[in-house]
């Protein structure tokens, strides 16, 4: 990417001319999603707009919990019409808004997103698959609309970027424009060292033990091209409900020599009797995690994706391992 694609005029107009706005991202939000919602809220506030932030949740990760303090549970009946602008952020299909789509189907819609797959919905769209995070697109909206970037807004934008870039690890060639934005965010008061500890620090002790257990369970298939691990029901009691070790697991396993793809099997909290599978592919191989996930109704990016399917760990593992061999280099 030589330069960052700027927001289309109809997207800018939709925001400037709206009477009020409601902002929403996908359910079970990640860091990019909630920080997109938060920074978009501050933008609307700076423009003097009446606005509401909504999200279906759940909010499982510590770094996304803060957004709950800013969310509205029930929107007033009388704003559910075309005079209200619905701003969808970090979400490529209406269904991922969950129950909030019941609100959004009544609104005029603007979509701001960086997913490469999905549905072509909304009245105005600012879609940049080359942008590593949705928050960087919101940064562009601040610039284009001439809204001053406060330190708080800059922190939200940086945190979304940090989440989706694996704290800079996933940036590839042509990342100059992205890094120039990060430099600007630093000028706005973002301290990268502080942010690293804010985002990654404060782990419960159980997370370390859980990580050790998950490493013990790693199994290798297809000459080490596929590595898998899984969680078990008892883990929640042993290590604590909020012990999340998946990021550490992916970070470690994707660096193993010869590995192409890592699968982590989780017991679904959202869907009784289903298994969730996190997928991460190695930097140097052609395995497309998002495409593979879509075979099972999931989705995501080339290097990181996820899916949820009915069935026990053993059943889903068998299914995935059978299918994956056709996609290895
Ligand atoms: Mn994102």
């Amino acid at each position: 990417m030589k330069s960052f694609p700027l927001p289309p005029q109809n997207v800018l107009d939709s925001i400037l001319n709206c009477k009020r706005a409601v902002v929403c991202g996908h359910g079970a939000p990640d860091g990019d999603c909630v920080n997109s919602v938060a920074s978009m809220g501050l933008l609307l506030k700076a423009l003097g707009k009446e606005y509401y932030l909504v999200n279906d949740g759940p909010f499982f990760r510590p770094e996304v919990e803060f957004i709950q303090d800013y969310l509205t549970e029930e929107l007033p009946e009388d704003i559910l019409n075309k005079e209200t602008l619905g701003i969808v952020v970090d979400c490529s299909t209406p269904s991922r808004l969950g129950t909030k789509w019941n609100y959004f189907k009544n609104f005029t819609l603007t979509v701001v997103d960086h997913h490469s797959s999905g549905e072509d919905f909304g009245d105005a769209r600012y879609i940049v698959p080359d942008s590593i995070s949705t928050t960087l697109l919101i940064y562009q909206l601040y610039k284009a609309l001439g809204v001053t970037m406060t330190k708080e807004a800059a922190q939200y934008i940086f945190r979304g970027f940090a989440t989706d870039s694996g704290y800079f690890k996933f940036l590839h060639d042509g990342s100059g424009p992205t890094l120039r934005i990060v430099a600007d965010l630093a000028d706005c008061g973002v301290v990268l060292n502080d942010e690293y500890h804010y985002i990654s620090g404060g782990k419960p002790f159980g997370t370390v033990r859980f990580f050790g257990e998950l490493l013990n369970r790693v199994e290798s298939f297809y000459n080490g091209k596929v590595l898998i691990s899984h969680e078990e029901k008892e883990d929640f009691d042993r290590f604590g409900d909020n012990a999340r070790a998946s990021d550490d697991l992916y970070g470690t396993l994707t660096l193993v020599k010869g590995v192409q793809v890592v699968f982590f099997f989780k017991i679904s909290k959202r869907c009784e009797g289903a298994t969730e599978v996190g997928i991460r592919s190695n930097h140097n191989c052609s395995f497309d995690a998002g495409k593979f996930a879509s075979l099972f109704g999931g989705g995501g990016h080339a290097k990181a994706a996820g899916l949820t399917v009915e069935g026990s760990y053993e059943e889903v593992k068998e299914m995935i391992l059978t299918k994956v061999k056709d996609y290895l280099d």
Side-chain angles (χ1 to χ4, degrees), residues 30 32 90 114-115 133-134 164 301:
D30 59 5
D32 186 30
D90 198 42
H114 71 138
H115 292 93
S133 73
T134 298
D164 276 11
H301 306 279

Side-chain angles (χ1 to χ4, degrees), residues 11 87-91 110-114 126 134 137-138 141:
V11 166
I87 305 177
V88 177
V89 294
D90 198 42
C91 179
T110 288
V111 183
V112 179
D113 188 29
H114 71 138
Y126 180 29
T134 298
L137 302 177
I138 292 169
L141 294 176

